[in-house]
Amino acid sequence: MTKPNVLVARATFPDVLERLQQQFEVESNQDDTIFSTEELHRRMQGKDAVIMTSSERLSAEVIAANTHLKAICNVAVGYNNIDVAAASNAGIMVTNTPDVLNETTADYAWTLLMANARRVSESEHFLRAGKWTNWRFDQFLGADVHGATLGILGMGRIGQAVARRSMGFDMQVIYHNRSRLAPELEARANNARYVGKEELLRSADHLVLVLPYSAETHHVIGAAELALMKPTATLVNIARGGIVDDVALIAALREKRIASAGLDVFENEPALHPDFLTLPNVVLTPHIGSGSEKTRRAMADCASANLVAALSGERPPNLINPQVLK
Ligand code: DGY
């Protein structure tokens, strides 16, 4: 019996690849070449399924030209890089890798929050540049984290994990979300209090963005929202570029209308608005929120399990568009 054909569009752990090779004809990309849309389209020809990451874009056009696919398995919890409606119309299953990255990504929100509040990046650059000649009483004074108000926009599983971590810092948690959490979930999330978006922006000392990107959340944080924030506030984005209007944020940071930002994601990444690099009060990292060894492995395993199920006629554990099964 011929084996199904699979494209693994990006480099992955060798043992994960070997396991896939036992069951499928696999075209891999262990050199991790970044395929153009045309190249990705070309390599998807004759494939039954593809494993890809949030860096690859599958537009309606590419999907329409590849309706032979049975499954698109994203190695990410977010799936805004795939036109899911087009895939559903074509009867193609789309899967993601939720849950396995909640805790690691929440850890990373705190990494950026703390680095922001205590000006870690800025002061390290100062030291590395050989500018540290004296201890000074007023050097790189930052904001306290303990006792402060933590705001969370987007209170899904990662948002709740961010909130739980605030207990040790004796913080008050406020959040805004499409819908309010059940009381027991609010209690577990350090007694998080549901507020309107405006109150969230006005009251948070440290604001963390953890909401998925979509047309509705495009530029949810723009000039008007930044203007509501405290001048001492810090902002963390571990969700997706495009949620924040980068140009508006750069202006707010430059004019010190907010104190600082910690950004792991950007509009048009990996391209970066060059003005970010000129600002001292921003911590910039290259989309590594879920990047612990253990979690990236769990994400790769999760995507593989989804693919194996999809090609075995079973329901993949993390199927985003179950309507295709009907
Ligand atoms: C995710 O899982 O969505 C991460 O941002 C990696 O893309």
Side-chain angles (χ1 to χ4, degrees):
M1 210 173 78
T2 55
K3 291 176 175 176
N5 290 301
V6 166
L7 172 65
V8 180
R10 298 295 301 274
T12 190
F13 297 97
D15 55 301
V16 172
L17 199 57
E18 275 160 31
R19 280 200 303 278
L20 288 170
Q21 283 162 340
Q22 285 163 14
Q23 285 183 262
F24 309 111
E25 251 354 294
V26 179
E27 179 176 340
S28 62
N29 175 18
Q30 289 302 77
D31 292 338
D32 214 27
T33 307
I34 304 301
F35 298 143
S36 64
T37 304
E38 295 71 36
E39 184 63 12
L40 187 60
H41 168 53
R42 195 180 70 71
R43 287 176 189 260
M44 286 196 304
Q45 297 307 300
K47 301 296 187 304
D48 296 291
V50 55
I51 290 187
M52 50 182 263
T53 73
S54 58
S55 304
E56 287 72 57
R57 309 244 160 255
L58 285 192
S59 63
E61 291 71 37
V62 175
I63 288 169
N66 288 283
T67 52
H68 57 276
L69 285 171
K70 294 190 179 68
I72 299 167
C73 303
N74 217 26
V75 192
V77 61
Y79 45 83
N80 56 297
N81 54 318
I82 301 165
D83 192 321
V84 177
S88 303
N89 285 338
I92 304 170
M93 289 178 260
V94 180
T95 66
N96 68 341
T97 60
D99 294 326
V100 291
L101 47 64
N102 293 349
E103 302 301 325
T104 298
T105 309
D107 285 352
Y108 199 69
W110 277 89
T111 306
L112 289 180
L113 190 160
M114 302 286 284
N116 253 351
R118 297 302 302 273
R119 303 174 67 178
V120 170
S121 222
E122 191 184 350
S123 60
E124 193 196 353
H125 279 107
F126 170 86
L127 181 149
R128 283 178 183 267
K131 294 183 185 164
W132 189 31
T133 50
N134 272 310
W135 184 89
R136 284 176 55 131
F137 194 64
D138 61 351
Q139 207 157 45
F140 292 107
L141 301 185
D144 276 329
V145 174
H146 70 272
T149 296
L150 172 65
I152 301 178
L153 184 58
M155 198 60 150
R157 286 162 289 194
I158 299 174
Q160 292 169 49
V162 172
R164 282 199 303 277
R165 283 159 173 73
S166 70
M167 287 181 199
F169 287 92
D170 215 5
M171 296 174 92
Q172 298 79 49
V173 181
I174 53 178
Y175 76 97
H176 185 71
N177 196 40
R178 264 177 310 193
S179 50
R180 188 173 170 175
L181 296 184
E184 60 274 18
L185 291 181
E186 287 186 345
R188 284 190 63 208
N190 195 13
N191 295 315
R193 187 164 64 83
Y194 183 78
V195 295
K197 189 177 157 198
E198 185 169 331
E199 186 180 341
L200 181 84
L201 293 164
R202 286 189 192 283
S203 305
D205 294 310
H206 305 288
L207 178 63
V208 180
L209 309 178
V210 208
L211 65 176
Y213 179 76
S214 66
E216 292 75 52
T217 61
H218 179 73
H219 286 188
V220 129
I221 300 293
E225 289 74 22
L226 291 162
L228 294 175
M229 293 176 67
K230 297 179 183 180
T232 50
T234 74
L235 177 73
V236 168
N237 188 3
I238 51 156
R240 278 289 180 273
I243 288 173
V244 176
D245 177 344
D246 282 355
V247 171
L249 177 60
I250 286 164
L253 289 166
R254 183 177 288 130
E255 293 156 24
K256 306 263 170 59
R257 282 188 272 115
I258 67 168
S260 61
L263 307 173
D264 188 45
V265 287
F266 305 88
E267 289 194 282
N268 311 314
E269 65 180 56
L272 201 64
H273 192 300
D275 289 3
F276 275 128
L277 300 175
T278 67
L279 296 169
N281 50 344
V282 64
V283 181
L284 307 165
T285 59
H287 201 147
I288 57 170
S290 59
S292 74
E293 168 84 20
K294 190 170 156 213
T295 291
R296 284 284 160 85
R297 185 168 277 282
M299 290 166 73
D301 285 339
C302 181
S304 298
N306 283 319
L307 180 134
V308 170
L311 295 185
S312 312
E314 290 162 20
R315 182 190 171 116
N318 309 111
L319 183 62
I320 290 161
N321 54 349
Q323 64 272 31
V324 298
L325 297 181
K326 295 214 180 93

